[in-house]
Amino acid sequence: MRRMDVFEAMATRRSVRGFLPDPVPRAAIVSILEIAARAPSGSNVQPWKVRVTEGDEKARLSAALHAAHDAGTVTPRDYQYYPRHWREPYLSRRRKVGWDLYALAGVAKGDHAAGHAQRARNFDFFGAPVGLVFTIDRDLEQGSWLDYGMFLQSVMLAARGFGLDTCPQAAFCDHHDVLRAHLGIPAEEAVVCGMALGRADPGEPANRLATERAPLSDFVRFGPEA
């Protein structure tokens, strides 16, 4: 199998929202997590913990998550992911990617039932054969959460090296009580996110989403300000 170089992996990484059912070999999952664990962390703390779910176990978990989603029962998240008060330019970026995705998925503005159904697809891991759930000990501080982000990116890039795709999913945090019950996650661990892992379905309309990136002039300064 041809392995991508790091530049190609970074350029082709995207959040995939439709996967083929093709199984991912256990050896590939192990290799991805082993290489991702080389991510840096302050004082080599290595704050990441991962649960891998596949097959019947994943199907049972998905069924329970769907039931919670349909019932509208949301558990307060272990941490605040988004800003409490949105402002520009972040609000416009959020709205654009949301409406671009919904347009591809066929969800019309104001169609709450279709929006509910589209969000529910998170809980099937978008059809991916492998689900990953990431947790961190609650007593670790912000620096360890920064380290965790580098680990998550490393997982996604390593997956690209195997020709696989991923979707990091904060949606699971709304039902972390369900995750705890099915995956044996103790109370002293906070749920960071989930992630779908597999091969992208080329026939999935949502996979045509191409997210924009701000130009360097928006966020980079060279040298002192004039």
Side-chain angles (χ1 to χ4, degrees):
M1 176 189 298
R2 184 185 73 87
R3 297 289 175 86
M4 295 183 187
D5 65 31
V6 66
F7 294 102
E8 184 180 0
M10 294 179 73
T12 60
R13 188 220 60 81
R14 57 192 175 125
S15 293
V16 166
R17 294 177 176 86
F19 289 82
L20 297 172
D22 306 353
V24 176
R26 177 62 58 86
I29 300 171
V30 169
S31 292
I32 288 167
L33 295 174
E34 283 181 339
I35 194 65
R38 297 302 306 173
S41 60
S43 297
N44 200 32
V45 166
Q46 304 172 64
W48 36 81
K49 296 183 180 183
V50 189
R51 271 82 173 178
V52 181
T53 182
E54 307 170 89
D56 291 342
E57 178 192 67
K58 186 172 73 69
R60 288 191 294 271
L61 173 61
S62 290
L65 289 164
H66 273 283
H69 178 64
D70 289 340
T73 55
V74 174
T75 306
R77 293 188 175 195
D78 284 325
Y79 67 101
Q80 183 70 23
Y81 187 93
Y82 289 113
R84 297 183 188 276
H85 303 286
W86 287 93
R87 61 178 176 83
E88 297 300 342
Y90 313 112
L91 179 59
S92 293
R93 291 172 181 170
R94 181 194 192 204
R95 284 174 171 167
K96 176 171 173 49
V97 74
W99 288 119
D100 286 352
L101 173 62
Y102 272 25
L104 289 169
V107 179
K109 189 172 184 178
D111 189 342
H112 299 297
H116 180 86
Q118 176 62 27
R119 183 170 175 78
R121 297 186 63 211
N122 276 281
F123 305 122
D124 291 323
F125 294 90
F126 295 109
V130 180
L132 307 174
V133 175
F134 300 91
T135 66
I136 185 173
D137 287 344
R138 291 183 186 277
D139 57 346
L140 296 179
E141 298 291 350
Q142 285 180 323
S144 290
W145 285 77
L146 292 173
D147 298 338
Y148 214 121
M150 291 185 278
F151 172 70
L152 292 171
Q153 174 78 336
S154 296
V155 171
M156 292 183 276
L157 295 182
R160 291 301 299 136
F162 279 88
L164 299 170
D165 294 281
T166 55
C167 185
Q169 299 166 264
F172 291 104
C173 297
D174 289 338
H175 303 294
H176 61 83
D177 56 334
V178 177
L179 297 178
R180 293 180 193 285
H182 281 258
L183 300 179
I185 299 171
E188 58 267 23
E189 294 179 25
V191 173
V192 177
C193 67
M195 186 181 292
L197 172 66
R199 296 189 183 280
D201 180 356
E204 169 57 53
N207 287 343
R208 299 200 302 270
L209 179 67
T211 55
E212 297 178 354
R213 292 295 185 269
L216 262 60
S217 58
D218 280 8
F219 62 91
V220 177
R221 297 291 181 270
F222 292 94
E225 295 289 336

